Amino acid sequence: MDHDEAAPAGTGEGSMISRRQILMSSAAFSGVALAAGVLGSPAGAEAAEVPPARPNIVYIVADDLGWRDVGFQGSDIRTPHLDKLAQEGARFEQFYAQPMCTPTRAAFMTGRYPLRYGLQTGVIPAAGTYGIPLDEYLLPQMLQDAGYRTAMVGKWHLGHAKPEYWPRQRGFDSFYGALVGEIDHFKHSSHGIKDWYRNNKPLEEKGFDNSLFGEEAARTIEHHDAGRPLFLYLAFTAPHTPFQAPREYLDRFETIEDENRRAYAAMISVMDDGIGKVVAALEKRGMRDNTLIVFHSDNGGVKSSMFAGDSKISGGLPADNGP
């Protein structure tokens, strides 16, 4: 049966069940199966009496990161925090995403191919008035219904023209970051228009966006009520154009002669440090052992100026996608 279609429920005429109900009943069934089949049951107890495990989830997405542009893939760009996660965790060596920002993020949020709701062909431009259709039941909504606190930090890029498309209205208890696809990393603006929000309110704030994202994500963990599981979606804008970074990070890569490559490497280093702060916050709160951390890029590094975004780029594009 196509998941887009309603399914008959019971024998009553016209009795139908929505896709949302199908997904919720499937999630409930999976939770019970996990509790019974994996965690086991106390002797003499019914399987249904064992509550399903609910780990914290920290889901981290980089923006236009080249496959080889991390240390654990052999890069000269140092990423010690990501390298440690890769060393101690599971590496998915055949992992596939959509080729551009919006389609990948839409697929992640819906669990469905973007062609099903018209977001398969490209990104939502700054002038775009559309977003993920409002009848889609998104991952944060499902996790809210499962008892999670849901927080988003970073880049949304799934609809910005009206508040109905924004993260707070799509299942996130809190949102901090940018709505559109590309912003000036210091000015927090797109085409001269400020794009920086806390929840539904515009925010005036100084600082490099990716540094602020890492700090905000760590604060979210530090202030989290441990009585509920946490879903934190951390979507960096690094190393998406424009290629900008704080001076202290540029100085880390002073031996790289190409200016674009130097800034690109510095942006990745900022992101890596932010991830380190997140892991440290989890450890400080005693949450690390019960937290699933996922990291990947929304797509590979951009090698054609046609897809480099709104910024004018002089010189070569610096990403390295490997063999």
Side-chain angles (χ1 to χ4, degrees):
M1 183 190 68
D2 192 312
H3 284 192
D4 292 335
E5 309 246 351
T11 57
E13 187 174 336
S15 178
M16 305 292 281
I17 183 169
S18 69
R19 181 172 69 249
R20 178 188 180 101
Q21 290 169 311
I22 292 171
L23 291 170
M24 280 305 295
S25 62
S26 299
F29 177 81
S30 298
V32 172
L34 174 64
V38 178
L39 301 180
S41 303
E46 295 293 330
E49 294 177 359
V50 181
R54 295 190 300 170
N56 304 299
I57 303 167
V58 176
Y59 203 100
I60 307 170
V61 176
D63 199 355
D64 291 4
L65 175 68
W67 180 87
R68 196 190 285 277
D69 291 325
V70 284
F72 63 86
Q73 298 285 41
S75 176
D76 58 343
I77 299 174
R78 297 180 296 277
T79 54
H81 301 292
L82 279 171
D83 295 353
K84 185 176 181 182
L85 289 175
Q87 180 181 6
E88 298 177 350
R91 289 176 59 177
F92 296 91
E93 298 292 355
Q94 291 202 336
F95 178 89
Y96 300 90
Q98 301 290 322
M100 299 187 79
C101 299
T102 295
T104 288
R105 295 160 200 271
F108 168 53
M109 284 292 156
T110 63
R112 304 205 301 142
Y113 291 114
L115 60 86
R116 289 186 174 272
Y117 39 86
L119 293 178
Q120 76 275 17
T121 57
V123 301
I124 299 175
T129 59
Y130 56 94
I132 291 183
L134 299 178
D135 62 349
E136 290 292 334
Y137 180 43
L138 304 190
L139 175 64
Q141 294 172 297
M142 176 176 282
L143 289 172
Q144 275 185 334
D145 290 342
Y148 278 74
R149 179 181 185 272
T150 58
M152 183 190 167
V153 176
K155 168 179 169 175
W156 177 237
H157 208 183
L158 292 173
H160 57 270
K162 54 185 180 180
E164 290 91 330
Y165 289 132
W166 297 4
R168 286 284 281 113
Q169 284 65 254
R170 307 307 301 269
F172 284 103
D173 294 317
S174 63
F175 167 63
Y176 171 85
L179 295 170
V180 300
E182 177 184 319
I183 60 172
D184 183 288
H185 299 290
F186 288 102
K187 297 178 181 178
H188 311 158
S189 61
S190 172
H191 299 282
I193 300 173
K194 189 71 74 174
D195 181 38
W196 198 251
Y197 291 85
R198 183 175 293 283
N199 297 320
N200 288 331
K201 295 183 178 180
L203 180 64
E204 287 289 337
E205 190 175 34
K206 292 182 179 179
F208 185 67
D209 58 353
N210 290 287
S211 297
L212 295 172
F213 292 150
E215 293 163 4
E216 176 71 13
R219 276 194 300 270
T220 298
I221 294 166
E222 289 165 2
H223 298 147
H224 176 63
D225 177 4
R228 295 175 64 191
L230 172 67
F231 170 56
L232 171 60
Y233 173 40
L234 173 55
F236 287 99
T237 58
H240 195 292
T241 53
F243 299 129
Q244 302 169 321
R247 171 52 56 187
E248 62 179 293
Y249 283 90
L250 291 170
D251 289 345
R252 290 185 183 184
F253 299 94
E254 58 185 359
T255 58
I256 299 178
E257 295 184 3
D258 180 80
E259 290 186 6
N260 285 346
R261 178 71 178 174
R262 186 185 312 132
Y264 176 86
M267 294 171 77
I268 294 170
S269 189
V270 171
M271 178 179 67
D272 185 69
D273 280 354
I275 292 169
K277 291 177 181 177
V278 166
V279 174
L282 290 169
E283 291 173 344
K284 184 177 180 181
R285 289 294 313 276
M287 297 166 62
R288 179 65 183 93
D289 288 344
N290 190 38
T291 298
L292 175 67
I293 300 176
V294 181
F295 171 83
H296 66 85
S297 181
D298 60 352
N299 44 254
V302 177
K303 297 302 291 181
S304 168
S305 58
M306 181 185 301
F307 301 106
D310 295 330
S311 303
K312 274 192 172 182
I313 304 297
S314 58
L317 291 168
D320 182 354
N321 288 313

